[in-house]
Amino acid sequence: MATDFWASSHYKRWIVDRGTLKESRSDDLQYVDDPEYLDFFAIFFANVITKLGKKLNFRQRVIATAIVFFRRFYIKNSYCETDPFIVIAACCYVAGKAEESPVHIKNMVAEARLFFSQQPYGVKYFPSDNSKLAEMEFYLVADLECDLTVFHPYRTLLSICKKESSNDLQTEAGEVGVGVDDGPRYWGSGDGQLELPDDAFQLAWSIVNDTYRSDLCLLYPPHLLAITALYLAVVLHGPTRELLQQQSHSVEATPVHSSPRRSSRQSSSTSLGHAKKPSQDFVAFFADLNISMPLVATIAQEIISLYTLWERYLEDSDLVDSARGTFYGHASAQTQSGGSHSGVSTPVESLDDAQKPHGATPTFLLQVLTRMRENKLSDMAHASSGRPVAVNKMLERTQAAG
Amino acid sequence: MHEEWSHTLLQSDPMRFYRAKRDRLHQAVTSKYTILGFISSGTYGRVYKAQSLEPDGQIHAIKKFKPDKEGDVVTYTGISQSAIREIALNREMSHENVVALKEVILEDKSIYMVFEYAEHDFLQVIHHYSQTLRIQIASQVLKSLIYQLLNGLVYLHSAHILHRDLKPANILITASGVVKIGDLGLARLIYQPLQPLFAGDKVVVTIWYRAPELLLGAKHYNKAVDCWAIGCVFAELASLRPIFKGDEAKLDSKKNVPFQRDQLLKIFEVLGTPTEKDWSGLKDMPEYQNMKRLDTYPNRLAEWCQTRIRSQQGYDLIRQLFAYDPDKRLTAKEALAHKWFQEDLRPTRNVFFPVSAHHLPPQRRITQDEAPSMMGMPAPTQAQTLSQVPLGHGQAQGQHLSQQSQLNLSQQSKPGSTASFGSVSGGAVGSFSGGQGGSARKKPRIG
C-alpha cells in the first residue's frame, strides 16, 4: 500500500479533473464577486494551515496532508456554506493522527482558538468546547470517505535525488525513513538518480511546498508534481542552469560560449561542493523517465501561473520555505520584489473601490468570505419565497459581459 | 438588511447548514444492515453480525467503536488514534488473506466499520481441537493455516505495515477456509515514519506473542516482531496451547514498562538462554542486566517439536522464526518460501479441505446484545431464539480467552477482565463472557 500508489485510494478516488473542480465551486461562484478570489482563497487557506501547523510543531508532511484533506473537503462542499476555520482545525487534527503525530484535542482547540483570534483573522467565535471540533472531525472523516492515507511528492523527490537523512536540510532532515528499505518506485521509472546541488534540491522542495497553495494536489499524481518541481529547479537554479546551458552548448559545439561560463561556474561551485564531479546530463535524465514530458510541461505552466497569482496576494513576503523569490526574480525580471509587497497594511477599502483590485490581502479575502456566507445564508432562509435575496454573481457577470 | 441575524448565526453556529445538509443525506446503519446478533466485545467496542439489506444479502461483521461517555451523556471526544489507524490502513488494503473492510459509517457519535464476515478464527479452531475433538490438527491443515497467514503477512510487510498484534484471536478463517488477518488497530505504517515507533505505543503485542527484543526493552524494532508472533501461533496450533504462556508484569503507577521476567523465562525454558553468539546486539538491550540475573537454560526446541510438529522441515521453519536475533529471524517472505511448504502434503486453498465434515469447527456463536443501547435491538423473534443459547460454553474457556486477549495497551486492567475485541471475531464463541467487568471499558489507552 505504502508502495503501491496505483492501488491507493489517493489514485483511485482523489485525482480529479478540472471539470470536477469547477463543478465543486459552482455554488461559491454564485456568491463571489470575482472568481479569482476563489483562487486567492486557495493560497490564503493553505497559508493559514501552514502557520497553524507550525504552531503545532507539525512536520511539513503533516501540514501537506492537512492541506490535502482541506482541498478534498472542498471538492464536496462550498466555502459559502461552511466555516473554513473549523474545517482547518479539524483537518490539522485528523492529519496529525493520520501521520502518527497526534495532538491532543484540548491543545488543538487551544492553539486554533488563539491563532484564529489574532490578526488578520480575528475569528472570535471559534468554539472552546472540544466536542465541537470532535463533531467536525466526524463530518470531515466522512466527507473524506475515510481515505486518510495521502501520498506526497516529497518521497519522489528524495528517491530521485537519493538524499539521505544525513543531509543538512534543516527543515526536513527527519522526514527520511530511517532503516527502511525503499521499494521500487511506484511509477516505475527505472533507478536513475539526479545529482543536484543541495540548494537546487532545496529549491525543488520549496516548489513542492508551494504547489499546495493551489488545487494541483487534486489534479496530478504526486510523483509528477515532484518531477515538475525538479525540472523547474534545474531550470531556475542559477549554477545548475548554467550547467544545463553548457551541456546544450557543448552539443552544439560552440566553444566560444563555454569558456567564460566555466569560470563563472567555478566561482559558484566551490560553495556548492560539487566542483570535481562530472556534470550529469539533465536533459537525458528527464528524457529517460517513464512519464509524459508534455504533461510535466503543462504542470510547470500551472505552477508558474500559481506564482503569478501569488505575486498579487499580499501577505508575508518572508515565507521561509517557499520558492516565490526565485520565480519573481526570473518570471517578471524584478530585482526587488519588496516594493510591491509592502502593501500588506494597505486599507482594504482602497482595494475594493473604483479601480479593479489587482491583489488581495487576508483581511480583504475574509470580508469576501463573510459576505458570501451571509448572502448564502439569507438565500437559504428565504428559500421558500423562491426569490433570491442576494444577486447571483455568476449571472451578473455573464450579463455584464453581454 | 438581514445582515445582523445572519451575522449572529455565522458566529454562534457557523456549521449549522452544513450539518443539516450532511445529516439529511446520511444513510443510517440500520437502513443498510439488519443486525443479526452480537459477536463479542472488548476495549474498543463491540462486534455484531449483520446482513446487508442489498439484494445480495451478504453477511458482515460490524465493529462498532465504543462512543465516549461523560457520565451518561455520549459526547464527541475525537476519534482515537487506533481507530484512525485501522480505518486509514484498511481503506488502502486489498488482499485475499487480509480481512476486507467494506465501508465505514460515521453516525451518531459512533464509528461502524463493516468488514467481510469470517465464520472462524485460529483461537476457536485451537479450542475446537483441544476441547471437542481432542486430537491434533492434521499437519496439512496446520501447514495451510500457516501458509495463508504468512501470505497475508508478506502483503502487509511489503506495504510497510507492521501488524504488531498477531495472535490466534486476530487471525480469522472464512467458512470457505480462507485465512484472513484481522484487527489492524495496532498496526502501523513504517514507511518513512515521522515519529519513532516507540514514541506512540510503549508496549505492543500481547505478552505471549511478544518478541524477545521487545521484552528486553528495545526502542527500535521492525517487521521481525510479527514473524516471532507467527512462530508462536504456529507452535500453538501444533500443540493446542500457548507455547510461552508467561504472566505479564504490569506497568507501575508511573507507567514505566517493567521487566517481563516471567515471559522471558518461559521462552528460555524452550529456546535456551540467548547468548551473544546467537544475537550480537543482545548486550545492548536495555534489560540485558536484568536478563543476566535469570537462571540459564539449554535449548530444547528440537525435543519440543518432536511430538508436536513431526516434520524435520516444520521444525526448521519454527526454529528460524524463533531466531533470537531479529536480523537473523526469517522474514515473512523467506518463511513463505520455506521447504516445509513444498513438502507433501502441500497447503490447500481451503484450509479445511482435508477435514471431514463432522470435524469442522462450529459456526461462530452469536447472542443477543447485552447492551442493547449500543445498537438497535434485533427483531423480537430473533432475540428470543438467541437468548435461549446457553452461555456456559463460553465460561469454560473464559480463562484462556481473556488471557489471550489482554490487549497489551490495557495495562491497568486485572488479568482476565478483558474479552478480546482483537478482531472482528473477537476471539470465538462466547468470549463476551469475559467482558462484563465494567473496569475493562474504562481503561486508558497509552499513546
Side-chain angles (χ1 to χ4, degrees), chain B residues 195-206:
Chain B
Q195 297 278 334
L197 295 176
F198 180 73
D201 314 275
K202 287 199 173 170
V203 188
V204 294
V205 191
T206 306

Side-chain angles (χ1 to χ4, degrees), chain A residues 208-251:
Chain A
V208 167
N209 288 348
D210 292 346
T211 59
Y212 289 98
R213 266 88 187 170
S214 68
D215 287 326
L216 284 165
C217 58
L218 298 176
L219 290 164
Y220 303 103
H223 66 278
L224 287 179
L225 295 175
I227 290 164
T228 310
L230 283 169
Y231 162 75
L232 286 169
V234 166
V235 174
L236 291 169
H237 176 250
T240 314
R241 185 176 63 245
E242 284 176 24
L243 271 177
L244 187 69
Q245 282 166 346
Q246 268 176 23
Q247 285 168 0
S248 52
H249 281 295
S250 64
V251 171

